[in-house]
Amino acid sequence: MSHIEQIPAYLTWKIRHKVMYPDLDFDKAILPNDDDGLHLGLFDENVLISVVSLFRNGDSMQFRKFATRSEYQHKGYGSEILRYLMEYSKNEGCNHIWCNARKSASGFYSSFGFIETEKISHANGYDYVIMERTL
Ligand SMILES: CC(C)(COP(=O)(O)OP(=O)(O)OC[C@H]1O[C@@H](n2cnc3c(N)ncnc32)[C@H](O)[C@@H]1OP(=O)(O)O)[C@@H](O)C(=O)NCCC(=O)NCCS
């Protein structure tokens, strides 16, 4: 049985690093403003499987560093936490949500109603596109 709860930033770092930046220094997984974020973890049988970090700016919520442990991907955990964070953001009064998506994940976000903007970038060997939707 899975559940989602707020977790301290430091609990996200290992999964972020292992899933997103395995070839870079561990420090790359730490955001300078992690203390300003709200961090969510999805647990199944007390194993931390998926993490994501929320940063609010006015009525807009950004989510960052969304990662599911590799061996648990494509099992629906990411969808569960994404649905949760959209509902959470709406309940908190936000009317807009966005992320700087890896191009490889853009289809996943599209299936949740996110639209690709024209803001594209490239960093750390990955192509990114800002995706957004109203809540
Ligand atoms: C993006 C990410 C967080 C999604 O997490 P996830 O737990 O794999 O998400 P889900 O399992 O809910 O969905 C992922 C895919 O599996 C599919 N899926 C979900 N449940 C499934 C099941 N039971 N059987 C088969 N496929 C399934 C979904 O349809 C989705 O397909 P799509 O990518 O073609 O849209 C994860 O792939 C990840 O950590 N990627 C590497 C880091 C990254 O790119 N992060 C995002 C940065 S923007």
Side-chain angles (χ1 to χ4, degrees), residues 4-127:
I4 294 167
E5 63 184 63
Q6 188 175 346
I7 57 174
Y10 72 84
L11 280 184
T12 68
W13 295 342
K14 202 166 145 191
I15 293 183
R16 284 182 186 172
H17 181 251
K18 207 169 172 193
V19 176
M20 305 184 84
Y21 309 106
D23 301 328
L24 301 181
D25 289 346
F26 187 79
D27 287 0
K28 180 65 194 161
I30 302 172
L31 290 169
N33 65 338
D34 259 337
D35 284 348
D36 302 331
L38 183 143
H39 310 276
L40 297 174
L42 183 149
F43 294 81
D44 202 347
E45 306 291 348
N46 291 324
V47 177
L48 181 56
I49 287 173
S50 201
V51 298
V52 68
S53 301
L54 307 183
F55 296 87
R56 183 173 184 161
N57 186 359
D59 293 340
S60 181
M61 190 72 88
Q62 178 186 15
F63 61 94
R64 301 188 67 184
K65 308 297 178 201
F66 184 17
T68 297
R69 284 169 59 169
S70 307
E71 63 272 38
Y72 291 97
Q73 288 178 12
H74 302 289
K75 294 178 187 291
Y77 292 115
S79 301
E80 193 177 333
I81 204 165
L82 186 54
R83 273 193 294 271
Y84 180 97
L85 73 88
M86 289 198 293
E87 189 67 21
Y88 171 84
S89 302
K90 193 171 175 180
N91 289 340
E92 287 294 305
C94 292
N95 55 26
H96 178 255
I97 187 161
W98 67 282
C99 68
N100 197 10
R102 282 188 185 180
K103 265 297 215 176
S104 55
S106 66
F108 174 66
Y109 297 123
S110 296
S111 68
F112 284 87
F114 284 77
I115 307 289
E116 284 190 24
T117 67
E118 289 175 357
K119 294 170 193 154
I120 55 174
S121 56
H122 187 86
N124 302 317
Y126 296 95
D127 291 321

